[in-house]
Coordinates of all heavy atoms in Angstrom, one line a residue:
M15 N 0.8 -1.1 0.1 CA 0.0 0.0 0.0 C 0.9 1.3 0.0 O 1.9 1.3 0.6 CB -0.9 -0.1 1.3 CG -1.8 1.2 1.3 SD -3.0 1.1 2.6 CE -4.2 2.1 2.0
H16 N 0.5 2.2 -0.7 CA 1.2 3.6 -0.8 C 1.3 4.2 0.6 O 0.4 4.0 1.5 CB 0.4 4.5 -1.8 CG 1.2 5.7 -2.1 ND1 1.4 6.7 -1.4 CD2 1.9 5.9 -3.3 CE1 2.1 7.7 -1.9 NE2 2.5 7.2 -3.1
P17 N 2.4 4.8 0.9 CA 2.5 5.2 2.4 C 1.6 6.4 2.8 O 1.3 6.5 3.9 CB 4.0 5.8 2.4 CG 4.4 5.9 0.9 CD 3.5 5.0 0.1
L18 N 1.0 7.1 1.8 CA 0.1 8.1 2.0 C -1.2 7.4 2.4 O -1.8 6.5 1.7 CB -0.2 9.1 0.9 CG 1.0 10.0 0.6 CD1 0.7 10.8 -0.7 CD2 1.3 10.8 1.7
R19 N -1.9 8.1 3.4 CA -3.4 7.6 3.6 C -4.4 8.1 2.6 O -4.2 9.3 2.2 CB -3.8 7.9 5.1 CG -3.0 7.2 6.0 CD -3.5 7.6 7.5 NE -3.1 9.0 7.6 CZ -3.3 9.5 8.9 NH1 -3.8 9.0 9.8 NH2 -2.9 10.9 9.0
Y20 N -5.3 7.5 2.2 CA -6.4 8.0 1.4 C -7.7 8.0 2.2 O -8.2 7.1 2.7 CB -6.5 7.0 0.2 CG -5.3 7.1 -0.7 CD1 -4.4 6.2 -0.6 CD2 -5.1 8.1 -1.6 CE1 -3.2 6.2 -1.3 CE2 -4.1 8.2 -2.4 CZ -3.1 7.2 -2.1 OH -2.1 7.3 -2.9
P21 N -8.3 9.2 2.2 CA -7.7 10.5 1.8 C -6.8 11.0 2.8 O -6.8 10.6 3.9 CB -9.0 11.4 1.7 CG -9.9 11.0 2.7 CD -9.7 9.4 2.8
P22 N -5.8 11.8 2.2 CA -4.8 12.3 3.1 C -5.3 13.2 4.1 O -6.3 13.9 3.9 CB -3.9 13.3 2.1 CG -4.3 12.8 0.7 CD -5.7 12.4 0.7
S23 N -4.9 13.1 5.3 CA -5.3 13.8 6.5 C -5.0 15.3 6.3 O -3.9 15.6 5.9 CB -4.9 13.2 7.8 OG -3.4 13.3 7.9
M24 N -5.8 16.2 6.8 CA -5.5 17.6 6.8 C -4.8 17.8 8.1 O -5.1 17.4 9.2 CB -6.8 18.5 6.8 CG -7.4 18.3 5.4 SD -6.5 19.2 4.1 CE -6.1 17.8 3.0
T25 N -3.8 18.7 8.1 CA -3.0 19.0 9.2 C -3.3 20.6 9.7 O -3.9 21.4 8.9 CB -1.5 18.9 9.0 OG1 -1.2 19.7 8.0 CG2 -1.2 17.3 8.5
A26 N -2.8 20.9 10.7 CA -2.6 22.3 11.1 C -2.1 23.2 10.0 O -2.5 24.3 9.7 CB -2.0 22.4 12.5
D27 N -1.1 22.7 9.4 CA -0.3 23.5 8.4 C -1.4 23.7 7.2 O -1.3 24.8 6.6 CB 0.9 22.7 7.8 CG 2.0 22.7 8.7 OD1 2.1 23.6 9.6 OD2 2.9 21.8 8.7
H28 N -2.1 22.6 6.9 CA -3.2 23.0 5.8 C -4.1 24.0 6.3 O -4.4 24.9 5.4 CB -3.8 21.5 5.4 CG -3.0 20.6 4.9 ND1 -2.6 19.4 5.5 CD2 -2.7 20.4 3.5 CE1 -1.9 18.7 4.7 NE2 -1.9 19.3 3.4
D29 N -4.5 24.0 7.5 CA -5.5 24.9 7.9 C -4.9 26.3 7.9 O -5.5 27.4 7.6 CB -5.9 24.6 9.4 CG -6.8 23.4 9.4 OD1 -7.4 23.0 8.4 OD2 -6.8 22.7 10.6
R30 N -3.6 26.5 8.3 CA -3.0 27.8 8.1 C -2.9 28.3 6.7 O -3.1 29.5 6.5 CB -1.6 27.7 8.7 CG -1.6 27.8 10.3 CD -0.3 28.0 10.8 NE 0.7 26.8 10.7 CZ 0.6 25.8 11.5 NH1 -0.2 25.7 12.6 NH2 1.4 24.7 11.4
V31 N -2.5 27.4 5.7 CA -2.5 27.8 4.4 C -3.8 28.3 3.9 O -4.0 29.3 3.1 CB -1.9 26.7 3.5 CG1 -2.1 27.0 2.0 CG2 -0.4 26.5 3.8
R32 N -4.9 27.6 4.2 CA -6.3 27.9 3.8 C -6.7 29.2 4.4 O -7.2 30.0 3.7 CB -7.2 26.9 4.3 CG -7.3 25.6 3.3 CD -8.6 24.8 3.5 NE -8.7 24.2 4.9 CZ -8.0 23.1 5.2 NH1 -7.2 22.4 4.2 NH2 -8.1 22.7 6.4
A33 N -6.3 29.6 5.6 CA -6.6 30.8 6.2 C -5.8 31.9 5.6 O -6.4 32.9 5.3 CB -6.3 30.7 7.7
L34 N -4.6 31.6 5.1 CA -3.8 32.8 4.4 C -4.5 33.1 3.0 O -4.6 34.1 2.7 CB -2.4 32.3 4.2 CG -1.6 32.4 5.6 CD1 -0.3 31.8 5.3 CD2 -1.4 33.8 6.1
L35 N -4.8 31.9 2.3 CA -5.4 32.2 1.0 C -6.9 32.8 1.0 O -7.1 33.5 0.2 CB -5.6 30.8 0.3 CG -4.3 30.1 -0.2 CD1 -4.5 28.8 -0.7 CD2 -3.6 31.1 -1.3
G36 N -7.6 32.5 2.0 CA -9.0 32.8 2.0 C -9.7 32.3 1.0 O -9.3 31.3 0.2
P37 N -11.1 32.7 0.6 CA -11.8 32.2 -0.4 C -11.2 32.5 -1.7 O -11.2 33.8 -2.2 CB -13.2 32.8 -0.4 CG -13.2 33.4 1.1 CD -11.8 33.7 1.5
V38 N -10.7 31.5 -2.5 CA -10.0 31.9 -3.7 C -11.0 32.1 -4.8 O -10.8 33.1 -5.7 CB -9.0 30.7 -4.1 CG1 -8.4 30.9 -5.6 CG2 -8.0 30.5 -3.1
G39 N -11.9 31.4 -5.1 CA -12.9 31.6 -6.2 C -14.1 30.6 -6.1 O -14.2 29.8 -5.2
A40 N -14.9 30.8 -7.0 CA -16.2 30.0 -7.2 C -16.3 29.5 -8.6 O -15.9 30.2 -9.6 CB -17.4 30.8 -6.8
W41 N -16.8 28.3 -8.8 CA -17.1 27.7 -10.2 C -18.6 27.3 -9.9 O -18.9 26.6 -9.1 CB -16.2 26.5 -10.3 CG -16.4 25.8 -11.7 CD1 -15.7 26.2 -12.7 CD2 -17.2 24.8 -12.0 NE1 -16.1 25.3 -13.8 CE2 -17.0 24.6 -13.4 CE3 -18.3 24.1 -11.4 CZ2 -17.9 23.6 -14.1 CZ3 -19.0 23.0 -12.1 CH2 -18.8 23.0 -13.4
T42 N -19.4 27.8 -11.0 CA -20.8 27.6 -10.8 C -21.6 27.5 -12.2 O -21.2 28.1 -13.1 CB -21.5 28.6 -10.0 OG1 -22.9 28.4 -9.7 CG2 -21.3 30.1 -10.6
F43 N -22.6 26.6 -12.3 CA -23.5 26.5 -13.2 C -24.8 27.4 -12.9 O -25.7 27.3 -13.6 CB -23.9 25.0 -13.5 CG -23.2 24.3 -14.5 CD1 -22.4 23.3 -14.0 CD2 -23.2 24.5 -15.8 CE1 -21.6 22.6 -14.9 CE2 -22.5 23.8 -16.7 CZ -21.7 22.7 -16.2
T44 N -24.7 28.1 -11.8 CA -25.9 28.9 -11.3 C -26.5 29.8 -12.3 O -27.7 30.1 -12.3 CB -25.5 29.6 -10.0 OG1 -25.0 28.8 -9.0 CG2 -26.7 30.4 -9.4
F45 N -25.7 30.3 -13.3 CA -26.1 31.2 -14.3 C -27.0 30.7 -15.3 O -27.6 31.4 -16.1 CB -25.0 32.1 -14.8 CG -24.1 32.9 -13.9 CD1 -23.0 33.4 -14.2 CD2 -24.6 33.0 -12.5 CE1 -22.2 34.2 -13.3 CE2 -23.9 33.8 -11.6 CZ -22.7 34.3 -12.1
D46 N -27.0 29.4 -15.4 CA -27.7 28.7 -16.6 C -29.2 29.2 -16.6 O -29.9 29.0 -15.5 CB -27.8 27.3 -16.5 CG -26.4 26.6 -16.9 OD1 -25.6 27.4 -17.2 OD2 -26.3 25.3 -16.8
G47 N -29.7 29.7 -17.6 CA -31.1 30.2 -17.8 C -31.5 31.4 -17.1 O -32.7 31.7 -17.0
R48 N -30.6 32.0 -16.5 CA -30.8 33.2 -15.8 C -30.6 34.5 -16.5 O -29.8 34.6 -17.5 CB -30.0 33.4 -14.5 CG -30.5 32.4 -13.5 CD -29.8 32.5 -12.2 NE -30.1 31.6 -11.3 CZ -30.0 31.6 -9.9 NH1 -29.4 32.6 -9.5 NH2 -30.6 30.7 -9.2
G49 N -31.3 35.5 -16.3 CA -31.2 36.9 -17.0 C -30.1 37.7 -16.3 O -29.6 37.3 -15.3
A50 N -29.8 38.8 -16.9 CA -28.6 39.7 -16.6 C -29.0 40.2 -15.0 O -28.0 40.2 -14.3 CB -28.6 40.9 -17.4
D51 N -30.2 40.5 -14.7 CA -30.5 40.9 -13.4 C -30.2 40.0 -12.2 O -29.7 40.2 -11.1 CB -32.0 41.4 -13.2 CG -32.9 40.3 -13.6 OD1 -32.7 39.5 -14.2 OD2 -34.2 40.5 -13.1
R52 N -30.6 38.7 -12.5 CA -30.3 37.6 -11.6 C -28.8 37.3 -11.5 O -28.3 37.0 -10.4 CB -31.1 36.2 -12.0 CG -32.6 36.3 -11.9 CD -33.1 36.3 -10.4 NE -32.6 35.2 -9.7 CZ -33.0 34.0 -9.4 NH1 -34.0 33.6 -10.2 NH2 -32.5 33.1 -8.6
I53 N -28.1 37.3 -12.6 CA -26.6 37.1 -12.6 C -26.0 38.2 -11.8 O -25.0 37.9 -11.1 CB -26.1 37.0 -14.0 CG1 -26.6 35.7 -14.7 CG2 -24.6 37.1 -14.0 CD1 -26.3 35.5 -16.2
A54 N -26.5 39.3 -12.0 CA -25.9 40.6 -11.1 C -26.1 40.3 -9.6 O -25.1 40.4 -8.9 CB -26.5 41.9 -11.4
A55 N -27.2 39.8 -9.2 CA -27.4 39.4 -7.8 C -26.4 38.3 -7.5 O -25.9 38.3 -6.3 CB -28.9 39.1 -7.6
D56 N -26.3 37.3 -8.2 CA -25.4 36.2 -7.9 C -24.1 36.6 -7.7 O -23.3 36.3 -6.9 CB -25.5 35.2 -9.0 CG -26.7 34.4 -9.1 OD1 -27.7 34.5 -8.1 OD2 -27.2 33.9 -10.2
V57 N -23.6 37.5 -8.6 CA -22.2 38.1 -8.6 C -22.0 38.8 -7.3 O -21.0 38.8 -6.6 CB -21.9 38.9 -9.8 CG1 -20.6 39.7 -9.6 CG2 -21.7 38.1 -11.1
A58 N -23.0 39.6 -7.0 CA -22.9 40.4 -5.7 C -22.8 39.4 -4.5 O -22.0 39.7 -3.6 CB -24.1 41.3 -5.5
A59 N -23.5 38.3 -4.5 CA -23.5 37.4 -3.3 C -22.0 36.6 -3.3 O -21.4 36.4 -2.3 CB -24.5 36.3 -3.6
I60 N -21.5 36.3 -4.5 CA -20.1 35.7 -4.7 C -19.1 36.7 -4.1 O -18.1 36.3 -3.4 CB -19.9 35.2 -6.1 CG1 -20.8 34.1 -6.4 CG2 -18.4 35.0 -6.3 CD1 -20.9 33.7 -7.8
E61 N -19.2 37.9 -4.5 CA -18.2 39.0 -4.0 C -18.4 39.1 -2.5 O -17.3 39.2 -1.8 CB -18.4 40.4 -4.7 CG -18.0 40.5 -6.1 CD -18.3 41.8 -6.7 OE1 -19.2 42.5 -6.4 OE2 -17.3 42.2 -7.4
A62 N -19.6 39.0 -2.0 CA -19.7 39.3 -0.5 C -19.1 38.0 0.3 O -18.7 38.2 1.4 CB -21.3 39.3 -0.3
M63 N -19.0 36.9 -0.4 CA -18.3 35.8 0.2 C -16.8 35.9 0.3 O -16.1 35.1 1.0 CB -18.6 34.5 -0.6 CG -20.0 33.9 -0.3 SD -20.4 32.2 -1.0 CE -19.9 32.6 -2.7
G64 N -16.3 36.9 -0.3 CA -14.9 37.4 -0.4 C -14.1 36.6 -1.5 O -12.8 36.5 -1.4
C65 N -14.8 35.9 -2.4 CA -14.0 35.3 -3.6 C -13.4 36.3 -4.4 O -13.9 37.5 -4.6 CB -15.1 34.5 -4.3 SG -15.7 33.1 -3.5
A66 N -12.3 35.9 -5.0 CA -11.5 36.8 -5.9 C -11.7 36.4 -7.3 O -11.4 37.3 -8.2 CB -9.9 36.7 -5.5
A67 N -12.2 35.2 -7.6 CA -12.3 34.8 -8.9 C -13.6 34.0 -9.1 O -14.2 33.4 -8.2 CB -11.2 33.9 -9.4
L68 N -14.1 34.0 -10.4 CA -15.3 33.4 -10.8 C -15.1 32.5 -12.1 O -14.8 33.2 -13.0 CB -16.5 34.2 -10.9 CG -17.8 33.7 -11.3 CD1 -18.4 32.6 -10.4 CD2 -18.9 34.7 -11.4
W69 N -15.3 31.2 -12.1 CA -15.3 30.5 -13.3 C -16.8 30.0 -13.6 O -17.5 29.5 -12.8 CB -14.5 29.3 -13.1 CG -13.0 29.5 -12.9 CD1 -12.1 29.6 -13.9 CD2 -12.4 29.7 -11.8 NE1 -10.8 29.8 -13.3 CE2 -11.0 30.0 -11.9 CE3 -12.8 29.8 -10.3 CZ2 -10.1 30.2 -11.0 CZ3 -11.9 30.0 -9.3 CH2 -10.5 30.3 -9.8
I70 N -17.2 30.3 -14.9 CA -18.5 29.9 -15.4 C -18.4 29.1 -16.6 O -17.7 29.4 -17.6 CB -19.2 31.2 -16.0 CG1 -19.2 32.3 -14.9 CG2 -20.7 30.9 -16.4 CD1 -19.7 33.8 -15.3
P71 N -18.9 27.8 -16.4 CA -18.9 26.8 -17.5 C -20.0 27.1 -18.5 O -21.0 27.8 -18.3 CB -19.1 25.5 -16.9 CG -19.9 25.8 -15.7 CD -19.6 27.2 -15.3
E72 N -19.9 26.4 -19.6 CA -21.0 26.4 -20.6 C -21.6 24.9 -20.9 O -20.8 24.0 -21.1 CB -20.5 26.9 -22.0 CG -21.5 27.0 -23.1 CD -21.0 27.7 -24.3 OE1 -20.0 27.3 -24.9 OE2 -21.6 28.7 -24.7
G73 N -22.7 24.8 -20.6 CA -23.4 23.4 -20.7 C -24.3 23.4 -22.0 O -24.4 24.3 -22.5
G74 N -24.9 22.2 -22.2 CA -25.8 22.0 -23.2 C -26.9 22.8 -23.2 O -27.3 23.3 -24.3
G75 N -27.5 23.2 -22.1 CA -28.7 23.9 -22.0 C -28.5 25.2 -21.3 O -29.5 26.0 -21.0
S76 N -27.3 25.8 -21.3 CA -27.0 27.1 -20.7 C -27.1 28.2 -21.7 O -27.0 28.0 -22.9 CB -25.6 26.9 -20.0 OG -24.7 26.9 -20.9
N77 N -27.0 29.4 -21.2 CA -26.9 30.6 -21.9 C -25.6 30.5 -22.5 O -24.7 29.7 -22.0 CB -26.9 31.8 -21.1 CG -28.3 32.1 -20.4 OD1 -29.3 31.6 -20.8 ND2 -28.2 32.7 -19.3
D78 N -25.2 31.3 -23.5 CA -23.9 31.4 -24.1 C -23.0 31.8 -23.1 O -23.2 32.9 -22.4 CB -23.9 32.3 -25.4 CG -22.5 32.7 -25.9 OD1 -22.1 31.7 -26.6 OD2 -21.9 33.7 -25.4
V79 N -21.8 31.1 -22.8 CA -21.0 31.5 -21.7 C -20.4 32.9 -21.9 O -20.2 33.6 -20.9 CB -19.8 30.4 -21.5 CG1 -18.9 30.4 -22.7 CG2 -19.2 30.6 -20.2
L80 N -20.2 33.3 -23.1 CA -19.5 34.6 -23.4 C -20.5 35.7 -22.9 O -20.2 36.7 -22.4 CB -19.1 34.8 -24.7 CG -18.0 33.7 -25.2 CD1 -17.6 33.9 -26.6 CD2 -16.8 33.8 -24.2
T81 N -21.8 35.4 -23.1 CA -22.9 36.3 -22.8 C -23.0 36.4 -21.3 O -23.1 37.5 -20.7 CB -24.3 36.0 -23.4 OG1 -24.1 36.0 -24.8 CG2 -25.5 36.9 -22.9
N82 N -23.0 35.2 -20.7 CA -22.9 35.3 -19.1 C -21.8 36.0 -18.5 O -22.0 36.7 -17.6 CB -23.0 33.8 -18.7 CG -24.3 33.1 -18.7 OD1 -25.3 33.8 -18.9 ND2 -24.4 31.8 -18.5
L83 N -20.6 35.8 -19.1 CA -19.4 36.5 -18.7 C -19.6 38.0 -18.9 O -19.2 38.7 -17.9 CB -18.2 36.0 -19.3 CG -17.5 34.6 -18.9 CD1 -16.5 34.1 -19.9 CD2 -17.1 34.8 -17.5
G84 N -20.1 38.4 -20.0 CA -20.3 39.8 -20.1 C -21.3 40.4 -19.0 O -21.0 41.5 -18.5
W85 N -22.4 39.8 -18.9 CA -23.3 40.1 -17.8 C -22.8 40.2 -16.5 O -22.8 41.1 -15.7 CB -24.5 39.3 -17.8 CG -25.4 39.5 -19.0 CD1 -25.5 40.6 -19.9 CD2 -26.5 38.6 -19.4 NE1 -26.5 40.2 -20.8 CE2 -27.1 39.2 -20.6 CE3 -26.9 37.3 -19.0 CZ2 -28.2 38.6 -21.3 CZ3 -27.8 36.8 -19.7 CH2 -28.5 37.3 -20.8
A86 N -21.9 39.2 -16.1 CA -21.3 39.1 -14.8 C -20.2 40.1 -14.6 O -20.0 40.8 -13.7 CB -20.7 37.8 -14.6
L87 N -19.5 40.4 -15.7 CA -18.4 41.4 -15.7 C -18.9 42.8 -15.6 O -18.3 43.7 -14.9 CB -17.5 41.4 -16.9 CG -16.5 40.1 -16.9 CD1 -15.9 40.0 -18.3 CD2 -15.3 40.4 -16.0
A88 N -20.1 43.0 -16.1 CA -20.8 44.4 -16.0 C -21.2 44.6 -14.6 O -21.6 45.7 -14.1 CB -22.0 44.5 -16.9
S89 N -21.2 43.5 -13.7 CA -21.8 43.6 -12.4 C -20.7 43.6 -11.3 O -21.0 43.6 -10.2 CB -22.8 42.3 -12.2 OG -23.7 42.3 -13.0
T90 N -19.4 43.7 -11.7 CA -18.3 43.7 -10.8 C -17.3 44.6 -11.1 O -17.2 45.0 -12.2 CB -17.7 42.3 -10.6 OG1 -16.7 42.3 -9.5 CG2 -17.2 41.8 -11.9
E91 N -16.6 45.1 -10.0 CA -15.3 45.9 -10.2 C -14.1 45.2 -9.9 O -13.0 45.7 -10.1 CB -15.6 47.2 -9.5 CG -16.5 48.2 -10.0 CD -16.6 49.5 -9.3 OE1 -15.7 49.8 -8.5 OE2 -17.7 50.1 -9.5
R92 N -14.3 43.9 -9.2 CA -13.0 43.4 -8.8 C -12.7 41.9 -9.0 O -11.8 41.4 -8.9 CB -12.9 43.6 -7.2 CG -14.0 43.0 -6.4 CD -13.6 43.0 -4.9 NE -14.6 42.3 -4.2 CZ -14.5 40.9 -3.9 NH1 -13.5 40.3 -4.4 NH2 -15.4 40.3 -3.3
L93 N -14.0 41.1 -9.3 CA -13.8 39.7 -9.6 C -13.0 39.4 -11.0 O -13.3 40.2 -11.9 CB -15.2 39.1 -9.7 CG -15.8 38.7 -8.5 CD1 -17.2 38.1 -8.7 CD2 -15.0 37.7 -7.5
T94 N -12.1 38.5 -10.9 CA -11.5 38.0 -12.1 C -12.4 36.9 -12.5 O -12.9 36.1 -11.8 CB -10.1 37.4 -11.6 OG1 -9.3 38.5 -11.2 CG2 -9.5 36.8 -12.9
M95 N -12.7 36.8 -13.8 CA -13.6 35.8 -14.4 C -13.0 35.0 -15.6 O -12.1 35.6 -16.3 CB -14.9 36.4 -14.8 CG -15.7 37.1 -13.7 SD -17.2 37.5 -14.1 CE -17.7 38.6 -12.8
A96 N -13.4 33.8 -15.6 CA -13.0 33.0 -16.7 C -14.1 32.1 -17.2 O -14.9 31.7 -16.3 CB -11.7 32.3 -16.4
S97 N -14.0 31.5 -18.4 CA -15.1 30.5 -18.8 C -14.3 29.2 -18.4 O -13.2 29.0 -18.6 CB -15.2 30.5 -20.2 OG -14.1 30.3 -21.0
G98 N -15.1 28.3 -17.6 CA -14.6 27.1 -17.3 C -14.5 26.1 -18.6 O -13.7 25.4 -18.6
I99 N -15.5 26.4 -19.4 CA -15.7 25.6 -20.6 C -16.3 26.4 -21.6 O -17.3 27.2 -21.3 CB -16.6 24.3 -20.4 CG1 -16.0 23.4 -19.4 CG2 -16.7 23.7 -21.8 CD1 -16.9 22.4 -19.0
A100 N -15.8 26.7 -22.9 CA -16.4 27.3 -23.9 C -16.5 26.3 -25.0 O -15.4 26.1 -25.7 CB -15.7 28.6 -24.3
N101 N -17.7 25.7 -25.3 CA -17.8 24.7 -26.4 C -17.6 25.3 -27.8 O -18.3 26.2 -28.2 CB -19.1 24.1 -26.2 CG -19.3 23.3 -25.0 OD1 -18.4 22.6 -24.5 ND2 -20.5 23.4 -24.4
I102 N -16.5 24.8 -28.4 CA -16.4 25.2 -29.9 C -17.4 25.0 -30.7 O -17.7 25.8 -31.5 CB -15.1 24.6 -30.3 CG1 -13.7 25.2 -29.7 CG2 -14.9 24.6 -31.9 CD1 -13.5 26.6 -30.3
S103 N -18.2 23.9 -30.7 CA -19.2 23.6 -31.4 C -20.5 24.5 -31.2 O -21.5 24.5 -32.1 CB -19.8 22.1 -31.2 OG -20.2 21.9 -29.8
A104 N -20.4 25.3 -30.1 CA -21.6 26.2 -30.0 C -21.4 27.6 -30.7 O -22.2 28.4 -30.7 CB -21.7 26.5 -28.5
R105 N -20.1 27.7 -31.3 CA -19.8 29.0 -32.0 C -20.1 28.9 -33.5 O -19.9 27.7 -34.1 CB -18.3 29.3 -31.8 CG -17.9 29.3 -30.2 CD -18.2 30.7 -29.6 NE -18.9 30.7 -28.4 CZ -19.2 29.9 -27.5 NH1 -19.0 28.5 -27.5 NH2 -19.8 30.3 -26.4
Q106 N -20.3 29.9 -34.2 CA -20.5 29.9 -35.5 C -19.3 30.3 -36.4 O -18.6 31.2 -35.8 CB -21.8 30.7 -36.0 CG -23.1 30.2 -35.5 CD -23.4 28.9 -36.0 OE1 -23.2 28.7 -37.1 NE2 -24.2 28.1 -35.3
P107 N -19.1 29.9 -37.6 CA -19.7 28.9 -38.2 C -19.1 27.5 -37.7 O -18.1 27.3 -37.4 CB -19.2 29.1 -39.7 CG -18.0 29.6 -39.6 CD -17.9 30.5 -38.4
E108 N -20.1 26.5 -37.7 CA -19.8 25.2 -37.4 C -19.0 24.5 -38.6 O -19.3 24.7 -39.7 CB -20.9 24.3 -36.9 CG -21.6 24.8 -35.6 CD -22.6 23.9 -35.3 OE1 -22.7 22.8 -35.7 OE2 -23.5 24.5 -34.5
V109 N -18.0 23.8 -38.2 CA -17.2 23.2 -39.4 C -17.2 21.6 -39.2 O -17.3 21.1 -38.2 CB -15.7 23.6 -39.4 CG1 -15.5 24.6 -40.6 CG2 -15.2 24.1 -38.1

C-alpha cells in the first residue's frame, strides 16, 4: 500500500495555508437560464463571500458562456472571471 493515507489527512499546516489564502474563487452553473438581473445578484453574493475569482462553464442547456461572462463582468469591479468551458461547437460557423 502507498505510504500516504487515502484521503490524506488535513493538518494544522493545511489549515494555516487555507486561512492565508481565504476564499480563492467559485465555479458555478448557477447562471444557466438566468437573465442579467439575476446574474448581477449572484455576482454580488459571490463577491460578498470574499471570492477573488469566478469560473463559469457552458453546458448543453445554458446561456452562451460569453454572454454570461459579459453580464457578470458588468456587475463587478474586482472579480477575475474566466470560462470554465467554452464549447467550440456552440460557436458559428460550425465546421
Side-chain angles (χ1 to χ4, degrees):
M15 178 173 204
H16 195 279
L18 292 177
R19 290 183 292 186
Y20 292 95
S23 61
M24 292 289 120
T25 65
D27 288 335
H28 290 104
D29 290 336
R30 281 191 288 280
V31 169
R32 275 195 301 277
L34 288 171
L35 288 174
V38 176
W41 183 91
T42 183
F43 269 108
T44 303
F45 297 170
D46 286 1
R48 292 187 178 196
D51 57 334
R52 292 288 308 273
I53 289 175
D56 293 338
V57 167
I60 291 166
E61 283 184 324
M63 290 187 302
C65 293
L68 174 62
W69 292 269
I70 305 169
E72 181 173 54
S76 65
N77 299 335
D78 176 77
V79 69
L80 302 177
T81 300
N82 280 349
L83 282 170
W85 288 341
L87 284 165
S89 305
T90 184
E91 292 186 14
R92 67 172 185 82
L93 278 178
T94 299
M95 294 194 200
S97 65
I99 301 168
N101 294 319
I102 283 294
S103 61
R105 308 279 130 9
Q106 293 294 328
E108 292 184 24
V109 259

